[in-house]
């Protein structure tokens, strides 16, 4: 009986696939890459058309020996690494290591780990796709040339241990450019005016919009007072009432990027954690006697395509659980952006049989939360549009026009399953509410109150991990598999830190980006980086040779590198010296920037490796012992606030302590912030005092 060896990337995937195949199949895991460029040298022969020098990865020798023995004893070898460029390259490297004939149909791919998908993949084995392999080789070689030749320059000119990368440097630049924009921003004052109005049917509010038919902008308190003075004698009347039906269509199912963004917004999961959880759901979850089952399709994708079988399954589920009204006249199809890999599907459940309710007992808290998000988004994408009734009421008052907008849901459609998340950007001034009272054109109205409010324009917000993913996707920087590791890398390298969910450049990050912008503008140019991604697509499609693409980049890069080495002097980064003295060698400790923010370190490194946490005081006092409260970091880098008397006093708070005590009971208050407002909340459960600060107004209550 012939034997077939199937090689996948991970043991979890091997376990899931094994149960779908009979005794004639052996499934083993390669544990990812087995061959790569050497770490200790450039590994690219520039003189011979950028020929890469691949070696077996250190520590993988026994595994390679085991796989070679298994391949020797098999009649057929099938390489089943992930269905993307990197997976194709892994298969190609495996083929070389195992001595396979590259002309054989030894490659299989699948986008979900289900019995039909695995059996179908085996039936449709193909040759290794050299276009995908070459595209991945081009990425790997270019990144190696940039990283291994530009990084040493930074070591010599700025600081040892620095690194520069084609995608990571652009990501840091995006964060730095936003910070420059924020620093240069000059706030402008503006005022809004809301009228509280009484009609025959009840009270409602309307916002001032126009004067003499033109949009009105009020820039000062004096101008606002003049407007209020003129309105004090005006007659208020309903000028127009307009109602219309609005259909709200569901969003497509998730791509890698949209999944990372929505998981961040709704579940507070970082892109890295989202991808780790999605990998687990894809590779297989143990479902008791049923064994390991893959619950979602492949999670690295830029496609919103849905298989017809999945659409039919969704139709059946929607009709059974929600009714005919909730299913659209035709199955929904979505169009992917740009040159998405249409062989892939969107991220979706592999089968609606595995509902989140059924999976609860088998999944961890974060796994079930992410799975439910994917499930709901997919199901909603196949449902009817929501139908909203919108109402606009224009109110005239002399030369002025006020407007009230309202909307009510007539038919929820997909909203019965899924509510779209949103980033906390903008001030939310124009959000619609409900206007339940009847009003009629020409109806006379009574003014109850005019309420003015001062505002100041705000700069664009700093990026979060989610909005940086969105920016990278919009600009074509990187691909689905690179978003999460890029954001992780720029924080690990100390170029960017995360403060209160926002990404800020460090001084080191700004120094490096300034230097790269001056001497290597292409490396940190968004358009250049996006264009290279397009060239990788061209390589994959066989339109251009990968060595020609590298050559067109490297020739000018090498000249720039030589010129920069001559012209750049030693860049000094001023170190902030603290008052604390190193107990080991007597030097004054200096402030350094690490992955999780600032810390104290001995300047005598590497002879003296003493480090200490930098205790940054919050201004608040510990409610237990009265000592100052300081900023601390958890093992995962999350900021919290604790007593400086730790470990004797173990008081901690996840919310920023306020500098002033509660005016009612004298206990500690904490600050709960958003872009729109701050809330000062007393920590004394019996007091319950809180104060809301929004714009220039404060509201108090208990």
């Amino acid at each position: 009986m012939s034997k077939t060896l199937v090689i996948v990337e991970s043991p979890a995937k091997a376990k899931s696939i094994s149960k779908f195949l009979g005794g004639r199949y052996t499934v083993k895991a390669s544990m990812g890459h087995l061959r790569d460029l050497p770490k200790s040298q450039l590994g690219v022969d520039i003189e011979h058309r950028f020929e890469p020098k691949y070696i077996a990865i250190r520590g993988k020798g026994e595994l390679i020996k085991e796989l070679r023995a298994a391949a020797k004893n098999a009649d057929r070898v099938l390489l089943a690494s992930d269905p993307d460029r990197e997976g194709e390259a892994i298969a190609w490297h495996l083929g070389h290591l195992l001595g396979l004939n590259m002309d054989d149909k030894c490659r299989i791919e699948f986008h979900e780990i289900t019995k039909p998908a695995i059996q179908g993949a085996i039936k449709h084995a193909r040759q290794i796709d050299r276009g995908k392999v070459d595209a991945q080789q081009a990425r790997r070689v270019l990144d190696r040339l940039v990283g291994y030749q530009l990084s040493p320059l930074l070591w010599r000119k700025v600081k040892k241990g620095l690194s520069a990368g084609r995608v990571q440097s652009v990501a840091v630049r995006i964060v730095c450019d936003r910070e420059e924009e924020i620093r240069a921003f000059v706030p402008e004052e503006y005022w809004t005016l809301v009228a509280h109005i009484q009609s025959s049917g009840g009270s409602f509010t309307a916002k001032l919009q126009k004067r003499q038919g033109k949009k009105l902008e009020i820039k000062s308190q004096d101008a606002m007072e003049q407007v209020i003075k003129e309105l004090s004698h005006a007659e208020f009347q309903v000028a127009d009432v307009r109602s219309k039906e609005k259909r709200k269509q569901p969003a497509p199912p998730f791509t890698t990027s949209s999944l990372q963004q929505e998981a961040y917004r709704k579940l507070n999961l970082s892109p890295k954690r989202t991808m780790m959880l999605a990998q687990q759901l894809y590779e297989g979850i143990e479902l008791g006697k049923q064994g390991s089952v893959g619950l979602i399709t492949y999670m690295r994708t830029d496609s919103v395509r849905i298989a017809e079988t999945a659409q039919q399954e969704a139709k059946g589920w929607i009709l059974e659980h929600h009714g005919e009204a909730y299913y659209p006249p035709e199955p929904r199809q979505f169009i992917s952006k740009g040159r998405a890999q249409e062989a892939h599907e969107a991220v979706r459940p592999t089968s609606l049989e595995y509902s989140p309710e059924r999976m609860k007992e088998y999944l961890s808290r974060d796994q079930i939360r992410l799975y439910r998000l994917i499930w709901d988004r997919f199901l909603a994408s196949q449902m009817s549009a929501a139908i909203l009734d919108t109402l606009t009421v224009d109110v005239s008052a002399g030369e002025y026009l006020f407007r009230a907008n309202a909307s009510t849901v007539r038919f929820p459609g997909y909203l019965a399953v899924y509510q779209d998340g949103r980033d906390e950007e903008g001030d939310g001034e124009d959000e619609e509410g409900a206007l339940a009272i009847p009003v009629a054109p020409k109806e006379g109205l009574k003014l109850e109150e005019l309420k003015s409010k001062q505002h100041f324009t705000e700069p664009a917000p700093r990026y979060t991990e989610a909005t940086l993913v969105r920016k990278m996707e919009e600009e074509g920087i990187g691909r689905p598999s690179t978003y999460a590791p890029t954001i992780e890398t720029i924080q690990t390298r100390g170029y960017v830190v995360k403060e209160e969910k926002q990404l800020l450049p460090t001084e080191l990050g700004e120094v490096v980006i300034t230097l790269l912008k001056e001497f290597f503008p292409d490396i940190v140019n968004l358009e250049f980086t996006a264009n290279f991604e397009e060239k990788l697509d061209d390589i994959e499609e066989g339109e251009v040779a990968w060595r020609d693409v590298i050559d067109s980049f490297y020739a000018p890069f090498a000249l720039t590198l030589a010129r920069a080495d001559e012209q750049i002097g030693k860049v000094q980064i001023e170190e902030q010296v603290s008052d604390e003295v190193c107990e080991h060698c007597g030097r004054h400790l200096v402030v350094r920037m690490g992955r999780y923010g600032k810390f104290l370190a001995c300047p005598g490194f590497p002879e003296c490796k003493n480090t200490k946490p930098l205790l940054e005081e919050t201004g608040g006092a510990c409610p237990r012992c009265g000592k100052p409260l300081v900023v601390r970091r958890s093992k995962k880098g999350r900021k919290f606030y604790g007593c400086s008397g730790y470990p004797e006093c173990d008081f901690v708070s996840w919310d920023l302590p306020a500098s002033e005590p509660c005016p009612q009971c004298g206990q500690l208050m904490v600050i709960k912030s958003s872009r729109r407002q701050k809330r000062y909340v007393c920590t004394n459960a019996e007091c319950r005092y809180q104060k809301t600060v929004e714009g220039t107004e404060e509201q108090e209550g208990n």
Side-chain angles (χ1 to χ4, degrees):
M1 186 180 291
S2 63
K3 282 277 188 179
T4 299
L5 172 66
V6 179
I7 303 177
V8 296
E9 289 186 40
S10 74
K13 195 187 295 186
K15 190 174 183 181
S16 296
I17 291 172
S18 291
K19 69 174 193 165
F20 300 135
L21 302 174
R24 294 187 295 111
Y25 290 85
T26 302
V27 185
K28 289 188 174 291
S30 72
M31 309 298 291
H33 287 275
L34 293 177
R35 199 170 74 144
D36 198 5
L37 299 174
K39 284 188 175 181
S40 58
Q41 54 185 274
L42 181 63
V44 177
D45 189 343
I46 297 169
E47 302 300 322
H48 292 86
R49 296 280 288 157
F50 309 103
E51 183 66 27
K53 175 188 175 184
Y54 294 116
I55 62 169
I57 296 173
R58 182 177 295 179
K60 296 287 184 90
E62 285 301 315
L63 179 56
I64 293 171
K65 190 185 296 184
E66 179 187 330
L67 292 175
R68 279 175 173 161
K72 190 175 181 180
N73 293 327
D75 299 297
R76 187 186 186 195
V77 178
L78 296 177
L79 307 174
S81 44
D82 285 347
D84 53 22
R85 286 177 188 158
E86 189 169 7
E88 203 72 21
I90 288 174
W92 181 71
H93 286 301
L94 271 168
H96 278 280
L97 287 169
L98 302 181
L100 303 183
N101 183 346
M102 293 302 189
D103 293 327
D104 287 347
K105 292 184 177 181
C106 60
R107 173 76 167 121
I108 63 171
E109 67 171 74
F110 40 84
H111 301 90
E112 59 184 75
I113 300 177
T114 60
K115 190 171 184 177
I118 303 304
Q119 292 177 338
I122 290 174
K123 286 179 183 177
H124 298 93
R126 58 169 173 79
Q127 293 178 330
I128 290 173
D129 187 334
R130 281 307 303 265
K132 284 185 178 179
V133 173
D134 286 347
Q136 184 63 24
Q137 276 200 115
R139 180 190 294 278
R140 191 77 185 92
V141 167
L142 181 63
D143 288 347
R144 176 56 67 99
L145 290 171
V146 172
Y148 273 52
Q149 295 195 302
L150 190 50
S151 296
L153 177 69
L154 296 178
W155 301 348
R156 294 193 297 273
K157 305 298 183 180
V158 184
K159 179 184 175 185
K160 282 187 178 180
L162 297 183
S163 72
R166 185 180 54 83
V167 175
Q168 75 176 52
S169 296
V170 174
V172 177
R173 178 183 180 163
I174 290 171
V175 175
C176 289
D177 286 352
R178 177 58 57 89
E179 198 65 24
E180 284 183 21
E181 187 182 336
I182 291 170
R183 288 172 187 158
F185 183 80
V186 179
E188 293 184 7
E189 180 183 6
Y190 70 99
W191 289 70
T192 56
L193 184 64
V194 173
H196 292 253
I197 300 167
Q198 179 74 39
S199 73
S200 59
S203 297
F204 67 96
T205 60
K207 186 178 176 182
L208 180 60
Q209 297 284 333
K210 297 179 179 180
R211 181 180 183 182
Q212 295 180 345
K214 296 180 180 178
K215 184 178 178 181
L216 181 61
E217 294 182 354
I218 303 171
K219 301 284 190 176
S220 68
Q221 185 173 358
D222 289 343
M224 175 55 76
E225 288 174 353
Q226 180 62 33
V227 169
I228 292 174
K229 183 179 178 182
E230 293 175 14
L231 285 167
S232 62
H233 304 293
E235 291 186 7
F236 282 70
Q237 184 183 65
V238 177
D240 191 20
V241 179
R242 301 184 298 280
S243 60
K244 64 178 181 179
E245 177 185 289
K246 179 181 177 183
R247 289 181 174 266
K248 190 173 182 182
Q249 304 294 340
F254 285 126
T255 61
T256 302
S257 169
S258 58
L259 175 61
Q260 290 176 5
Q261 293 173 56
E262 196 78 338
Y264 186 89
R265 296 184 195 107
K266 288 191 167 184
L267 308 180
N268 198 27
L269 296 175
S270 70
K272 179 184 177 183
R273 180 145 182 82
T274 296
M275 295 309 290
M276 182 188 75
L277 293 167
Q279 184 92 31
Q280 294 165 0
L281 295 173
Y282 165 69
E283 291 188 341
I285 299 294
E286 286 292 331
L287 303 184
K289 293 180 180 178
Q290 199 171 347
S292 183
V293 174
L295 294 181
I296 66 169
T297 54
Y298 192 54
M299 63 285 158
R300 294 187 182 92
T301 177
D302 53 5
S303 171
V304 291
R305 187 181 71 83
I306 302 171
E308 187 177 340
T309 52
Q311 288 186 315
Q312 289 303 312
E313 189 182 18
K315 178 180 180 179
W317 179 279
I318 293 165
L319 293 176
E320 180 183 349
H321 292 84
H322 297 279
E324 195 171 333
Y326 285 83
Y327 191 76
E330 297 289 335
R332 291 191 182 277
Q333 299 286 354
F334 298 94
I335 299 173
S336 302
K337 298 177 182 176
R339 296 166 75 168
Q341 299 178 63
E342 284 303 321
H344 288 199
E345 279 193 70
V347 184
R348 62 164 177 84
T350 54
S351 172
L352 297 183
E353 173 191 349
Y354 304 117
S355 67
E357 285 67 31
R358 281 190 59 198
M359 295 300 102
K360 268 183 184 178
E361 61 178 299
Y362 304 110
L363 301 177
S364 69
R365 176 178 177 270
D366 281 348
Q367 284 175 338
I368 189 64
R369 291 166 73 217
L370 187 66
Y371 183 58
R372 188 182 296 278
L373 190 70
I374 293 167
W375 170 284
D376 289 348
R377 174 80 165 231
F378 166 67
L379 204 61
S381 75
Q382 296 302 294
M383 294 177 72
S384 298
I387 302 175
L388 287 72
D389 290 323
T390 64
L391 179 68
T392 301
V393 178
D394 286 346
V395 175
S396 62
E399 297 180 335
Y400 296 92
L401 180 79
F402 289 79
R403 179 166 292 160
N405 292 311
S407 66
T408 54
V409 178
R410 189 201 311 169
F411 174 69
Y414 80 92
L415 294 176
V417 171
Y418 187 83
Q419 295 282 343
D420 301 301
R422 56 181 287 182
D423 293 311
E424 199 175 85
E425 295 184 10
D427 57 14
E429 289 289 337
D430 297 321
E431 289 182 0
E432 296 179 347
L435 189 65
I437 61 166
V439 288
K442 307 302 181 185
E443 179 183 346
L445 303 169
K446 180 183 177 183
L447 176 66
E448 292 181 335
E449 181 187 12
L450 289 172
K451 195 170 183 181
S452 64
K453 189 174 181 181
Q454 183 189 38
H455 307 265
F456 290 92
T457 55
E458 295 182 347
R462 292 185 175 95
Y463 288 103
T464 63
E465 290 182 329
T467 56
L468 183 55
V469 166
R470 186 177 67 192
K471 176 68 172 177
M472 291 172 69
E473 182 187 34
E474 289 172 350
E475 298 290 345
I477 308 301
R479 282 296 182 261
S481 61
T482 65
Y483 300 138
T486 296
I487 292 173
E488 177 74 8
T489 297
I490 63 177
Q491 293 179 71
T492 303
R493 297 291 185 184
Y495 296 142
V496 169
V497 292
K498 186 164 61 174
E499 296 284 352
E500 304 294 336
K501 297 186 179 182
Q502 297 180 327
L503 298 176
L504 288 77
T506 63
E507 182 185 5
L508 178 61
E510 292 186 298
V511 166
V512 169
I513 291 303
T514 299
L515 187 149
L516 292 179
K517 283 165 73 173
E518 181 178 354
F519 289 94
F520 300 91
D522 281 351
I523 297 297
V524 289
N525 181 280
L526 275 66
E527 186 177 349
F528 173 85
T529 307
N531 286 342
F532 183 73
E533 296 292 345
E534 292 287 331
K535 288 177 182 176
L536 291 179
D537 293 338
D538 292 338
I539 294 169
E540 179 175 337
E541 292 165 14
E543 295 176 9
V544 62
W546 75 266
R547 295 175 196 270
D548 292 341
V549 171
I550 300 299
D551 189 47
S552 65
F553 164 82
Y554 187 74
F557 173 74
L559 293 174
T560 304
L561 193 68
R563 186 173 69 250
D565 204 7
E566 291 178 5
Q567 295 180 4
I568 300 174
K570 181 69 176 174
V571 178
Q572 294 291 335
I573 299 178
E574 292 279 335
E575 288 188 326
Q576 182 182 344
V577 181
S578 74
D579 295 329
E580 289 203 46
V581 175
C582 177
E583 55 267 36
H584 297 165
C585 65
R587 297 180 176 94
H588 278 273
L589 299 179
V590 296
V591 179
R592 292 269 167 83
M593 179 63 71
R595 179 180 181 182
Y596 298 131
K598 295 179 179 179
F599 65 97
L600 293 176
C602 182
F605 182 86
E607 293 82 15
C608 180
K609 299 180 180 179
N610 186 25
T611 62
K612 283 177 142 184
L614 177 63
L615 298 181
E616 177 188 344
E617 294 190 5
T618 67
C622 177
R624 293 183 187 169
C625 67
K627 290 183 179 178
L629 292 172
V630 296
V631 179
R632 295 192 181 278
R633 294 275 180 180
S634 70
K635 289 181 180 179
K636 293 184 178 179
R638 184 180 173 189
K639 182 190 284 189
F640 69 97
Y641 307 93
C643 180
S644 56
Y646 181 83
E648 289 77 18
C649 178
D650 61 358
F651 173 82
V652 295
S653 168
W654 288 110
D655 296 309
L656 175 65
S659 56
E660 297 296 325
C662 174
Q664 287 188 180
C665 70
Q667 291 291 311
L668 176 73
M669 288 202 299
V670 294
I671 302 171
K672 297 179 181 287
S673 300
S674 71
R675 274 180 56 81
R676 300 189 187 103
Q677 65 177 22
K678 285 184 181 179
R679 282 192 304 126
Y680 291 77
V681 181
C682 180
T683 55
N684 182 356
E686 296 179 1
C687 175
R688 300 176 66 186
Y689 170 86
Q690 61 178 284
K691 177 175 70 173
T692 300
V693 179
E694 185 175 0
T696 57
E697 296 184 353
E698 296 187 2
Q699 302 167 348
E700 299 186 13
N702 54 351

